[in-house]
Amino acid sequence: MEDIWFAQPEPTLAELYTLAVPWLQRYVQRHFPRACDSLCEDAVQDAFLAAVEHPERFTAAWLDGGLKRVEGLCRTIAWRAARGRLARSCYRRELGGDAWLLAGQHQPPGQELVVEALLNLDRIVDEAVQRHAPANAEKVRLALVDRMQNGLTDTAVAERHGVRREYINRSRRDVERALWGAA
């Protein structure tokens, strides 16, 4: 009599969700201890959104290595989603600094800080441009001011002024850090 091997049926998304959510949230929290619970939940949700949007990846993982391979794929997606959220500057600003302490006291930054930032803006811009593009300082400064005034992308402003996008991006980030530090 011939042995017939039946492959274990692929779990449904609901079954996978029920199995994976608890340990996957702990996994993300363990690797990103600064992350709040909602960020961990969002990262786990991203893994399952990827399963809905790209079921072929999960089917291929199932055929390649079964449940272990699917769990590995979920871990990778959730980890990358959490890392991406933590790397965004808006999230880093939510995490700390003097503004965080002021927010806890429900007091807006003082007018003195805003005035100080405005008075020092030219110096801050000049220092940032000198740090990142000393050879092309004047063109990069004009491009940076254009970028801050018009809100266009770094690429569009770089093309408009004939400078490298990296110079504008790095200088702009320095200016933002300096202004945020003042506030």
Side-chain angles (χ1 to χ4, degrees), residues 11-25 40-52 58 67 70-71 74:
T12 65
L13 187 59
E15 293 170 340
L16 184 61
Y17 186 85
T18 304
L19 288 171
V21 166
W23 67 262
L24 197 52
Q25 284 180 341
C40 295
E41 290 172 12
D42 289 346
V44 170
Q45 293 300 320
D46 282 349
F48 290 98
L49 284 175
V52 170
F58 286 80
L67 189 58
V70 172
E71 288 174 350
C74 288

Short mmCIF file of all heavy atoms in Angstrom, two decimals, residues 11-25 40-52 58 67 70-71 74:
data_model
loop_
_atom_site.label_atom_id
_atom_site.label_comp_id
_atom_site.label_asym_id
_atom_site.label_seq_id
_atom_site.Cartn_x
_atom_site.Cartn_y
_atom_site.Cartn_z
N PRO A 11 -2.94 27.88 7.11
CA PRO A 11 -3.89 28.51 8.03
C PRO A 11 -4.55 29.73 7.38
O PRO A 11 -3.96 30.40 6.54
CB PRO A 11 -3.03 28.94 9.21
CG PRO A 11 -1.66 29.06 8.66
CD PRO A 11 -1.56 28.07 7.53
N THR A 12 -5.77 29.99 7.78
CA THR A 12 -6.44 31.19 7.28
C THR A 12 -5.81 32.40 7.96
O THR A 12 -5.11 32.28 8.97
CB THR A 12 -7.94 31.16 7.59
OG1 THR A 12 -8.11 31.20 9.01
CG2 THR A 12 -8.61 29.94 7.00
N LEU A 13 -6.09 33.55 7.44
CA LEU A 13 -5.55 34.77 8.01
C LEU A 13 -6.07 34.96 9.44
O LEU A 13 -5.32 35.38 10.32
CB LEU A 13 -5.91 35.97 7.14
CG LEU A 13 -5.28 37.29 7.51
CD1 LEU A 13 -3.76 37.20 7.49
CD2 LEU A 13 -5.74 38.39 6.58
N ALA A 14 -7.31 34.62 9.69
CA ALA A 14 -7.88 34.75 11.04
C ALA A 14 -7.17 33.82 12.02
O ALA A 14 -6.87 34.21 13.15
CB ALA A 14 -9.37 34.46 11.01
N GLU A 15 -6.88 32.60 11.58
CA GLU A 15 -6.16 31.66 12.45
C GLU A 15 -4.74 32.15 12.73
O GLU A 15 -4.27 32.09 13.87
CB GLU A 15 -6.11 30.27 11.81
CG GLU A 15 -7.45 29.58 11.71
CD GLU A 15 -7.38 28.32 10.86
OE1 GLU A 15 -6.44 28.19 10.05
OE2 GLU A 15 -8.29 27.49 11.01
N LEU A 16 -4.08 32.63 11.69
CA LEU A 16 -2.73 33.16 11.85
C LEU A 16 -2.73 34.37 12.77
O LEU A 16 -1.86 34.51 13.63
CB LEU A 16 -2.15 33.53 10.48
CG LEU A 16 -0.71 34.00 10.46
CD1 LEU A 16 0.22 32.92 10.98
CD2 LEU A 16 -0.30 34.41 9.05
N TYR A 17 -3.72 35.22 12.62
CA TYR A 17 -3.83 36.40 13.47
C TYR A 17 -3.99 35.99 14.93
O TYR A 17 -3.31 36.51 15.81
CB TYR A 17 -5.02 37.25 13.00
CG TYR A 17 -5.15 38.57 13.71
CD1 TYR A 17 -4.44 39.67 13.27
CD2 TYR A 17 -5.99 38.72 14.80
CE1 TYR A 17 -4.54 40.89 13.91
CE2 TYR A 17 -6.11 39.93 15.45
CZ TYR A 17 -5.38 41.02 15.00
OH TYR A 17 -5.49 42.22 15.65
N THR A 18 -4.86 35.06 15.19
CA THR A 18 -5.10 34.59 16.56
C THR A 18 -3.84 33.97 17.16
O THR A 18 -3.52 34.19 18.33
CB THR A 18 -6.24 33.56 16.58
OG1 THR A 18 -7.39 34.16 15.99
CG2 THR A 18 -6.57 33.13 17.98
N LEU A 19 -3.11 33.22 16.35
CA LEU A 19 -1.88 32.59 16.83
C LEU A 19 -0.75 33.58 17.06
O LEU A 19 0.01 33.48 18.03
CB LEU A 19 -1.40 31.54 15.82
CG LEU A 19 -2.19 30.25 15.70
CD1 LEU A 19 -1.69 29.45 14.50
CD2 LEU A 19 -2.03 29.44 16.97
N ALA A 20 -0.62 34.54 16.16
CA ALA A 20 0.60 35.35 16.11
C ALA A 20 0.56 36.65 16.90
O ALA A 20 1.60 37.11 17.37
CB ALA A 20 0.95 35.66 14.66
N VAL A 21 -0.60 37.26 17.06
CA VAL A 21 -0.64 38.60 17.65
C VAL A 21 0.02 38.68 19.02
O VAL A 21 0.86 39.55 19.24
CB VAL A 21 -2.08 39.15 17.67
CG1 VAL A 21 -2.21 40.36 18.57
CG2 VAL A 21 -2.51 39.51 16.26
N PRO A 22 -0.29 37.82 19.96
CA PRO A 22 0.30 37.98 21.30
C PRO A 22 1.84 37.92 21.30
O PRO A 22 2.50 38.80 21.84
CB PRO A 22 -0.30 36.83 22.11
CG PRO A 22 -1.52 36.43 21.39
CD PRO A 22 -1.27 36.72 19.95
N TRP A 23 2.41 36.89 20.67
CA TRP A 23 3.86 36.78 20.71
C TRP A 23 4.52 37.80 19.80
O TRP A 23 5.63 38.26 20.08
CB TRP A 23 4.33 35.36 20.38
CG TRP A 23 4.08 34.90 18.98
CD1 TRP A 23 3.05 34.14 18.56
CD2 TRP A 23 4.89 35.18 17.84
NE1 TRP A 23 3.15 33.92 17.20
CE2 TRP A 23 4.28 34.54 16.74
CE3 TRP A 23 6.05 35.88 17.62
CZ2 TRP A 23 4.79 34.61 15.45
CZ3 TRP A 23 6.58 35.95 16.34
CH2 TRP A 23 5.93 35.30 15.26
N LEU A 24 3.85 38.20 18.73
CA LEU A 24 4.43 39.18 17.83
C LEU A 24 4.50 40.56 18.49
O LEU A 24 5.48 41.29 18.32
CB LEU A 24 3.62 39.23 16.53
CG LEU A 24 4.26 39.88 15.32
CD1 LEU A 24 5.64 39.31 15.04
CD2 LEU A 24 3.38 39.72 14.10
N GLN A 25 3.49 40.92 19.26
CA GLN A 25 3.55 42.19 20.00
C GLN A 25 4.66 42.16 21.04
O GLN A 25 5.38 43.14 21.21
CB GLN A 25 2.21 42.48 20.67
CG GLN A 25 1.17 42.97 19.70
CD GLN A 25 -0.16 43.27 20.36
OE1 GLN A 25 -0.45 42.81 21.46
NE2 GLN A 25 -0.98 44.03 19.68
N CYS A 40 3.56 49.27 18.86
CA CYS A 40 3.74 47.83 18.69
C CYS A 40 2.52 47.22 18.01
O CYS A 40 2.66 46.38 17.11
CB CYS A 40 4.00 47.17 20.04
SG CYS A 40 5.56 47.67 20.79
N GLU A 41 1.35 47.65 18.43
CA GLU A 41 0.12 47.15 17.80
C GLU A 41 0.07 47.55 16.33
O GLU A 41 -0.33 46.74 15.48
CB GLU A 41 -1.11 47.68 18.52
CG GLU A 41 -1.30 47.10 19.90
CD GLU A 41 -2.42 47.79 20.67
OE1 GLU A 41 -3.20 48.55 20.06
OE2 GLU A 41 -2.51 47.55 21.88
N ASP A 42 0.46 48.77 16.02
CA ASP A 42 0.47 49.21 14.63
C ASP A 42 1.45 48.39 13.79
O ASP A 42 1.16 48.05 12.64
CB ASP A 42 0.84 50.69 14.54
CG ASP A 42 -0.26 51.60 15.04
OD1 ASP A 42 -1.40 51.12 15.22
OD2 ASP A 42 0.03 52.80 15.28
N ALA A 43 2.60 48.07 14.36
CA ALA A 43 3.59 47.27 13.63
C ALA A 43 3.04 45.87 13.34
O ALA A 43 3.22 45.34 12.24
CB ALA A 43 4.88 47.20 14.43
N VAL A 44 2.36 45.29 14.31
CA VAL A 44 1.77 43.97 14.11
C VAL A 44 0.66 44.05 13.06
O VAL A 44 0.54 43.17 12.19
CB VAL A 44 1.24 43.40 15.45
CG1 VAL A 44 0.42 42.15 15.23
CG2 VAL A 44 2.40 43.13 16.39
N GLN A 45 -0.14 45.11 13.13
CA GLN A 45 -1.20 45.28 12.13
C GLN A 45 -0.62 45.41 10.73
O GLN A 45 -1.20 44.91 9.76
CB GLN A 45 -2.04 46.52 12.46
CG GLN A 45 -2.86 46.39 13.72
CD GLN A 45 -3.83 45.25 13.68
OE1 GLN A 45 -4.46 45.00 12.66
NE2 GLN A 45 -3.95 44.55 14.78
N ASP A 46 0.54 46.06 10.61
CA ASP A 46 1.18 46.18 9.30
C ASP A 46 1.53 44.81 8.73
O ASP A 46 1.45 44.60 7.52
CB ASP A 46 2.43 47.04 9.40
CG ASP A 46 2.12 48.52 9.46
OD1 ASP A 46 0.95 48.90 9.22
OD2 ASP A 46 3.04 49.31 9.74
N ALA A 47 1.95 43.89 9.59
CA ALA A 47 2.27 42.54 9.12
C ALA A 47 1.03 41.88 8.52
O ALA A 47 1.11 41.24 7.47
CB ALA A 47 2.82 41.71 10.27
N PHE A 48 -0.11 42.08 9.16
CA PHE A 48 -1.32 41.44 8.65
C PHE A 48 -1.92 42.21 7.47
O PHE A 48 -2.57 41.62 6.63
CB PHE A 48 -2.31 41.22 9.79
CG PHE A 48 -1.82 40.14 10.70
CD1 PHE A 48 -1.16 40.46 11.87
CD2 PHE A 48 -1.95 38.81 10.35
CE1 PHE A 48 -0.65 39.47 12.69
CE2 PHE A 48 -1.45 37.81 11.16
CZ PHE A 48 -0.80 38.14 12.34
N LEU A 49 -1.68 43.50 7.41
CA LEU A 49 -2.07 44.24 6.21
C LEU A 49 -1.26 43.76 5.01
O LEU A 49 -1.78 43.64 3.90
CB LEU A 49 -1.87 45.74 6.42
CG LEU A 49 -2.91 46.42 7.28
CD1 LEU A 49 -2.52 47.88 7.51
CD2 LEU A 49 -4.28 46.35 6.63
N ALA A 50 0.01 43.47 5.25
CA ALA A 50 0.85 42.93 4.17
C ALA A 50 0.32 41.57 3.72
O ALA A 50 0.35 41.24 2.53
CB ALA A 50 2.30 42.82 4.63
N ALA A 51 -0.19 40.79 4.66
CA ALA A 51 -0.76 39.49 4.31
C ALA A 51 -2.00 39.64 3.45
O ALA A 51 -2.25 38.84 2.54
CB ALA A 51 -1.09 38.69 5.58
N VAL A 52 -2.79 40.69 3.73
CA VAL A 52 -3.99 40.94 2.93
C VAL A 52 -3.61 41.49 1.56
O VAL A 52 -4.17 41.08 0.54
CB VAL A 52 -4.93 41.91 3.68
CG1 VAL A 52 -6.07 42.37 2.79
CG2 VAL A 52 -5.48 41.25 4.93
N PHE A 58 2.88 35.23 1.54
CA PHE A 58 2.62 34.33 2.66
C PHE A 58 2.39 32.90 2.18
O PHE A 58 2.79 31.95 2.83
CB PHE A 58 1.44 34.86 3.49
CG PHE A 58 1.84 36.05 4.32
CD1 PHE A 58 1.92 37.31 3.75
CD2 PHE A 58 2.16 35.89 5.65
CE1 PHE A 58 2.32 38.40 4.52
CE2 PHE A 58 2.56 36.97 6.42
CZ PHE A 58 2.63 38.22 5.84
N LEU A 67 4.73 26.85 8.92
CA LEU A 67 4.37 27.87 9.90
C LEU A 67 5.59 28.66 10.38
O LEU A 67 5.51 29.86 10.60
CB LEU A 67 3.65 27.23 11.08
CG LEU A 67 3.02 28.19 12.08
CD1 LEU A 67 2.02 29.11 11.40
CD2 LEU A 67 2.35 27.43 13.20
N VAL A 70 6.34 31.37 7.86
CA VAL A 70 5.32 32.42 7.90
C VAL A 70 5.53 33.29 9.14
O VAL A 70 5.43 34.52 9.07
CB VAL A 70 3.90 31.82 7.87
CG1 VAL A 70 2.84 32.88 8.12
CG2 VAL A 70 3.65 31.14 6.53
N GLU A 71 5.85 32.67 10.28
CA GLU A 71 6.12 33.44 11.49
C GLU A 71 7.35 34.33 11.29
O GLU A 71 7.37 35.48 11.74
CB GLU A 71 6.35 32.50 12.67
CG GLU A 71 5.09 31.84 13.16
CD GLU A 71 5.35 30.80 14.24
OE1 GLU A 71 6.53 30.46 14.50
OE2 GLU A 71 4.37 30.33 14.82
N CYS A 74 6.27 37.32 9.28
CA CYS A 74 5.52 38.25 10.14
C CYS A 74 6.47 39.04 11.04
O CYS A 74 6.31 40.25 11.21
CB CYS A 74 4.51 37.50 11.00
SG CYS A 74 3.10 36.87 10.09
#
